[in-house]
Amino acid sequence: MADVVQHPLNNRFRSYLPVVVDIETAGFDAKKNPLLEIAAVIVEYDNNEQLVITEEHAAHIIPFEKSILDPAALKFTGIDPYNPFRMAVSEKEALDKIFKPIRAAIKRNKCTRAILVGHNPTFDITFLNAAIERTKIKRSPFHPFSSFDTATLGGLMYQQTVLAKIGKKAGLEWDAKQAHSALYDAQQTADIFCKIVNRWKHLESLDVADNNTSNETEALISTDK
């Protein structure tokens, strides 16, 4: 990706760069249960000002010291935290790996910071903030509490709130075997987010066309009078 983009996103989301994040954990307590996987998918405009995926980044994470691993959560995700083939790294290394390209994308899109896009993102942003606090990272690229929720957007656009069902309504394929992998879920969420934003832009263009037609009709009526 070039340092300068033809259509930066700074004016589309109030100077925020949307970054799709998915996190897999070993429980539901952000203070006690560790992150096991994190994935971030960066979306940007293409030459036609259509939102598309441009970068994907992911890391497997070593549970932090004295963290608690919930067996039910591990069974649900199917993750073995201590499998050597995971090539897991510390929380600090994982966040540094994810944050570096996000900061670069913020800069080239002339944005002020990133905003987390997630499916029911309260969970992800809570765990992300807890990890940032533990690792003492001082300059997170993300807004600390604002986020975009594809469950809400999916309900608006596709009458569905479950990620897999939204994807199917949007014409995307869903592989249940890959689900609950942070990268796969982030990719699917990003595809859905892009489709919704691009579809909304199309609807806006139709509204503009309708308004122009109405104005022309009103002008003709005024002329006839």
Side-chain angles (χ1 to χ4, degrees):
M1 175 63 63
D3 292 335
V4 179
V5 295
Q6 187 173 352
H7 302 287
L9 277 171
N10 57 315
N11 292 322
R12 179 59 183 86
F13 302 101
R14 204 171 68 83
S15 83
Y16 294 143
L17 176 75
V19 177
V20 182
V21 173
D22 190 79
I23 291 172
E24 299 298 330
T25 72
F28 296 98
D29 190 325
K31 299 293 185 182
K32 298 178 180 179
N33 303 132
L35 276 67
L36 300 178
E37 294 181 6
I38 184 169
V41 177
I42 297 171
V43 296
E44 299 173 82
Y45 275 150
D46 65 12
N47 289 334
N48 298 314
E49 291 197 15
Q50 293 292 293
L51 204 63
V52 297
I53 293 173
T54 56
E55 294 184 36
E56 300 173 352
H57 303 278
H60 297 278
I61 303 171
I62 301 168
F64 66 88
E65 188 176 355
K66 296 182 180 180
S67 60
I68 297 173
L69 282 70
D70 184 342
L74 298 180
K75 183 178 180 181
F76 178 74
T77 62
I79 298 172
D80 176 2
Y82 298 108
N83 186 326
F85 296 103
R86 293 179 70 228
M87 305 299 289
V89 297
S90 69
E91 275 189 333
K92 179 69 164 55
E93 289 176 282
L95 294 184
D96 285 342
K97 176 185 177 181
I98 296 295
F99 287 175
K100 184 177 180 180
I102 292 173
R103 290 190 180 104
I106 290 170
K107 182 178 180 180
R108 67 175 173 258
N109 280 280
K110 303 179 182 178
C111 292
T112 56
R113 66 195 318 171
I115 187 167
L116 188 147
V117 180
H119 199 73
N120 300 311
T122 301
F123 177 88
D124 301 280
I125 202 166
T126 299
F127 269 86
L128 180 62
N129 285 339
I132 290 169
E133 183 179 351
R134 276 193 300 271
T135 55
K136 296 180 171 57
I137 292 176
K138 294 182 179 180
R139 292 193 313 109
S140 167
F142 284 97
H143 193 287
F145 55 83
S146 293
S147 60
F148 293 154
D149 181 10
T150 51
T152 301
L153 295 172
L156 170 67
M157 193 65 75
Y158 295 110
Q159 300 83 49
Q160 297 289 342
T161 57
V162 176
L163 185 64
K165 292 183 178 180
I166 296 171
K168 288 179 180 178
K169 287 275 285 191
L172 302 174
E173 294 184 0
W174 180 263
D175 186 346
K177 292 181 180 179
Q178 293 191 64
H180 306 305
S181 152
L183 182 56
Y184 182 78
D185 285 0
Q187 290 167 333
Q188 292 294 111
T189 304
D191 279 335
I192 288 168
F193 181 71
C194 289
K195 276 185 169 287
I196 291 173
V197 172
N198 293 335
R199 188 177 180 188
W200 193 266
K201 184 177 180 181
H202 176 65
L203 293 175
E204 286 180 334
S205 67
L206 294 178
D207 285 342
V208 170
D210 286 344
N211 288 336
N212 289 340
T213 300
S214 297
N215 291 337
E216 289 174 1
T217 301
E218 290 176 4
L220 288 171
I221 292 173
S222 298
T223 302
D224 289 342
K225 289 180 179 179

